[in-house]
Amino acid sequence: MFMHLAQPQTAAHETPPKTISFEIVNLSRRRFVKGASGAAFTLAIAACAPNKPSTVSEAVAPIPDNSAVASGPLVFISIAADGRTQITNPRSEMGQQVITTVAQMIADELEVAWDKLEIKQAVGDAKYGDQNTDGSTSVRNHFKRFRMAGASMRQMLTQAAANEWGVDISECSSELGVIKHSSGKTLTYGDVAAAASQLEVPAEDSVKLKSRKEWRYIGKDQTSFTIPDVIRGKGTYGIDVRVPNMLYAVVARPPTVFGRIKSLNDRAALAVRGVTKVIRLPDPQGEAAAFQQLGGVAVIATDTWAAIQGREALEIEWEAGANGNYDSESYGRQLRATARKSGAVKLKRGDVAAAMEGAAKTVTAEYYAAHLSQSPMEPPSATAQWTDGKVECWACTQNPQAARSTVAAICGIPEEDVTIHVTLLGGGFGRKSKPDFIVEAALIAREAGAPVKVTWTREDDVRHGYFHAVSAQYMQAGLDAAGKPTAMLHRTVFPSINSTFGPADEGSNFELSLGATDAPWAVPNLQVEVGKAKAHIRIGWLRSVANVYHAFANQSFAAELAEAAGQDPKDYLLAMIGSDRQIDLSKDGVTYPNYGASLEEHPIDTARMKAVLNKVADMAKWGRDVPDGHGLGISVHRSFLSYVATAIEVAVDAEGKISFPGIWVAVDAGTVVNPANTKVQMEGGTLYGISNALYGEITAKNGVVEQGNFPDWRVMRINESPHKVEVHIMESDAPPGGVGEPGTPTAAPALANAIFAATGQRLRSLPLLGQNDRLKMTKEG
Amino acid sequence: MAITLKINGKNKSVDAAEGTPLLWVLRDHMGLTGTKFGCGVAQCGACTVHVDGVPIRSCITAHEDVEGSDVTTIEAASGKVADAIRAAWEELAVPQCGYCQAGQIMSAINLLETNKSPTDDDIDNAMSGNICRCATYVRIRAAIKDAAKSV
Ligand code: FES
Ligand code: FES
């Protein structure tokens, strides 16, 4: 078992193993509902004859409607005469073990032995369908088509054996790469691969998927394809790519977004040993930064260190531009002030104002959360090489198709002339779905006339990111005499991710649907409003996106209401979620995107939400007496179609130091392909959430991000980490939900609720600690 | 001027500017990319290698300063302890993205080589210089303890 990742040294010269390769192209017909409007695309299944080039047009030749096919996802699998089975993995591996998971889905239906599998990493190409490895979609959006591809191929191989024996396919079965006839005769997949490649691909309705009971790999803890390499220093990440005769570059970017160079003196930089060239990058065009390069000056050298030294020696005067006034302190005040005023109504149920009037008690709270940086451990890095007007790039990208189209557009060449090889990613968390760093590599390599690797230093990563939005939220509730909420108002204000791509001065429907408009409250009067906020730095996705701050506010506020009502937070939360039902947001005037999935398949199901909440309460032994200074906090949230509840026990000592005697997570992600890895992702997602909640804070002054490296930009270390995170996966036959992100949103509110339980202090502003090691023990939150 | 460094048991001639950190000599000059760059300022531990058996941050160590020493990188880390660490890492599926793990493993090897049964505090002290943004800390701690048992 081994894997190929795009390796420039070998890619150019490698002759493929002598295989009779056929490519099964799964173009199965299915309906894909995006948001409220159903956009269907037609797919079918096609197979290429051996040794034919595997271009899209060849592969889809038998399909009548080419336009539909162009957007259709193809799955490439090939089987060699010796039975080796190569899967082309179209998704990006960033530690979520997607290579293993994709292999599980395909190999299960194909009925192939695990040790026969080889993985080839796909380049960025529309023929693979959506490759954007973002939004926890790799399983939930592709579960059926990966299995169909495997099953179709299995059927063709079995048919080929039946033909060879002159028997009916119904008399044949296959198991682990061996096809058996009822008489006892056998042939292997390798024996019949060539014959199978000549067959028509079976119609989808003639292909039978396995029943759950028959699953061999799905639902099992298959071991990772990447870990054995990684622990030997062998995996190739973006930053590790090497191309013969390559040079190394770092870029001095404008400190403010859309800042420009006023003057440049590069004499001292060029005198640094190893520096070969200094070039100016083009300024970004238009009003939106999108995925463009940020401009600035690239220093090219014979090694990375020389490039860094050269950059230090540059004398640049910058013009700050329109974003030069961005100041986090005043901006934060402004956000809070905006949140205190009415905004645009995005969800309206009943009459909140009237119900507040009539309430026995009203409770108000304001929450704040700072900008965050994804800061994957591997900073962005890309290598580009130009040959005859075409460019090949190697990069740690979550989105090779966006990389391809953006590089093509900015370099002014057709997409066909851009190849994006996807390496391993040393973490992504949303940062690497933006290909600006790949654009830089392409531009610099063209100008340098040599292959160039661009490395972002940590300072570059922290200062020039696509930041998680800063946010202010205002919550108000009216309680009746029994303490039951009768009205709730949620106002949220944050610079939108849309501002990175065009004019946008308020949170989008998409962002509101991440934890604001889809809050599960069974309150008769409910209103969600959004306020205006302009962005002055690039705003981008970070693991679980707006769910982070929306769940923080909603789930903290639920606990505050429980306190106001003098009730147990868990029981109160259950009551706020209310009866078992499927929430219909259209009644409240909300067009709910539901993470791109249909509501029939993936309703907002309060029974599942309460089930994880009850489960986690059991795990944490909710209600037990805890030692002095300890406290239990709880929260629950649905995101990316999965339900997660988190309970945290904190201990806060007399000096305000926090530790974690216990953390429990219950997850209902529907059908789970790899349980062991799902647990790992829940652990990782939880700790990522805790790290950001405790320490994460990016601030700007005069348009410039103030943090540069660790520890100004602080992340959790092992001595600050919990020693245990106990995860329970709910048994479920429901269609798969996401796993990579849903562990994060519940972490911050469970933590704040636990701190309240331990200390009586309600903390409403993230980060909780920032640069401090102790909680400030004040009266106010 | 070229100098000779002993990397993973082999003498290698390097011609890099004086002061160039060992990290970039390993990665860019020798193609030993298993040792990672994470911060460049001795804050994250991704670049950890052994110099005469002692873990150092190669991002702040001038390459000429290790002339005459034995440098070992993740690619060549071997022996009973290294084997036990790798086995435990695999068994507990410690790595997520894996990017920090070369540094984690190099730090953990030294910990177990100098301390057969580390306590939680020992682990904190030896490992707190190694950041893992995927936050694999729970499993790192458990894997170190497992490896300690098997050495
Ligand atoms: S790269 Fe050396 S400690 Fe971070
Ligand atoms: S495993 Fe990803 S940074 Fe440690």
Side-chain angles (χ1 to χ4, degrees), chain A residues 224-236:
Chain A
S224 163
F225 275 90
T226 48
I227 288 177
D229 275 354
V230 155
I231 59 176
R232 290 170 178 84
K234 278 190 196 150
T236 302

Side-chain angles (χ1 to χ4, degrees), chain B residues 23 36-47 57-59:
Chain B
L23 172 67
K36 302 302 191 207
F37 165 72
C39 68
V41 294
Q43 281 292 322
C44 77
C47 64
R57 309 295 186 223
S58 65
C59 68

Side-chain angles (χ1 to χ4, degrees), chain A residues 377, chain B residues 95-101 104 131-134 136:
Chain A
M377 211 60 221
Chain B
Q96 289 182 35
C97 81
Y99 190 78
C100 72
Q101 297 293 337
Q104 305 282 2
I131 292 175
C132 175
R133 184 62 166 148
C134 300
T136 59

Side-chain angles (χ1 to χ4, degrees), chain A residues 335-533:
Chain A
L335 283 187
R336 287 183 166 102
T338 306
R340 284 178 204 126
K341 293 185 297 227
S342 354
V345 177
K346 297 294 173 176
L347 177 149
K348 189 172 171 56
R349 182 189 304 162
D351 186 340
V352 164
M356 287 296 177
E357 292 271 305
K361 188 176 192 175
T362 57
V363 181
T364 302
E366 294 177 20
Y367 299 91
Y368 184 82
H371 279 300
L372 299 171
S373 163
Q374 299 87 352
S375 61
M377 211 60 221
E378 175 199 29
S381 182
T383 300
Q385 174 167 34
W386 287 82
T387 323
D388 303 330
K390 300 181 182 182
V391 67
E392 232 179 317
C393 304
W394 293 264
C396 45
T397 174
Q398 289 176 245
N399 193 349
Q401 291 166 345
R404 192 184 196 202
S405 57
T406 313
V407 166
I410 292 177
C411 293
I413 57 174
E415 270 198 40
E416 302 81 73
D417 293 349
V418 180
T419 306
I420 307 288
H421 299 284
V422 181
T423 63
L424 287 177
L425 282 64
F429 312 120
R431 171 61 185 91
K432 292 171 182 170
S433 39
K434 295 93 171 174
D436 57 329
F437 59 103
I438 309 171
V439 172
E440 288 181 342
L443 290 170
I444 296 166
R446 181 160 69 179
E447 199 74 9
V452 173
K453 168 155 66 187
V454 175
T455 296
W456 284 49
T457 62
R458 179 59 58 196
E459 289 83 357
D460 297 339
D461 175 53
V462 171
R463 290 186 185 135
H464 301 288
Y466 287 85
F467 300 96
H468 175 76
V470 57
S471 61
Q473 294 170 84
Y474 177 94
M475 313 282 294
Q476 189 177 47
L479 309 183
D480 66 16
K484 211 174 139 181
T486 53
M488 240 176 108
L489 171 67
H490 179 185
R491 291 198 196 116
T492 176
V493 189
F494 54 91
S496 173
I497 291 170
N498 283 5
S499 65
T500 299
F501 301 97
D505 63 359
E506 68 177 32
S508 63
N509 185 38
F510 160 73
E511 287 156 312
L512 293 170
S513 77
L514 309 179
T517 49
D518 62 347
W521 309 137
V523 183
N525 304 286
L526 180 65
Q527 191 150 309
V528 177
E529 299 174 8
V530 67
K532 300 253 182 243

